[in-house]
Amino acid sequence: MQVQDPVQLSQHLAELKVEHRDLDAAIEQLAAAIGRDELQLTRLKKRKLLLKDAIARIESRLIPDLDA
């Protein structure tokens, strides 16, 4: 997704943060479950890390460049 508008970037960032938070809750529930699915847990953790990286990239794009 190539969004240049800061408003759209902020909206996308908010959506990613919600998904990241939801994944965190899902990971906690799955980790606490008896007979948990380790493969599913690994996939959720990997998705969470990808979201974290995407969030960091968008946040860095929203910070204005400062001339030194």
Side-chain angles (χ1 to χ4, degrees):
M1 177 177 191
Q2 279 293 5
V3 181
Q4 299 299 326
D5 182 32
V7 173
Q8 290 177 334
L9 277 175
S10 295
Q11 290 172 344
H12 186 59
L13 179 61
E15 292 169 4
L16 290 178
K17 285 183 176 184
V18 167
E19 185 178 351
H20 187 269
R21 188 172 47 247
D22 291 346
L23 273 176
D24 196 32
I27 289 169
E28 281 184 33
Q29 283 185 331
L30 187 59
I34 296 173
R36 64 183 179 223
D37 183 356
E38 291 295 329
L39 181 59
Q40 182 67 18
L41 188 60
T42 302
R43 287 178 178 159
L44 290 176
K45 287 180 177 181
K46 185 173 182 178
R47 174 69 181 149
K48 185 179 168 191
L49 286 173
L50 291 173
L51 284 172
K52 183 179 177 182
D53 291 342
I55 289 168
R57 280 192 304 273
I58 291 173
E59 286 176 339
S60 70
R61 288 180 64 189
L62 287 172
I63 298 171
D65 292 332
L66 300 174
D67 293 332

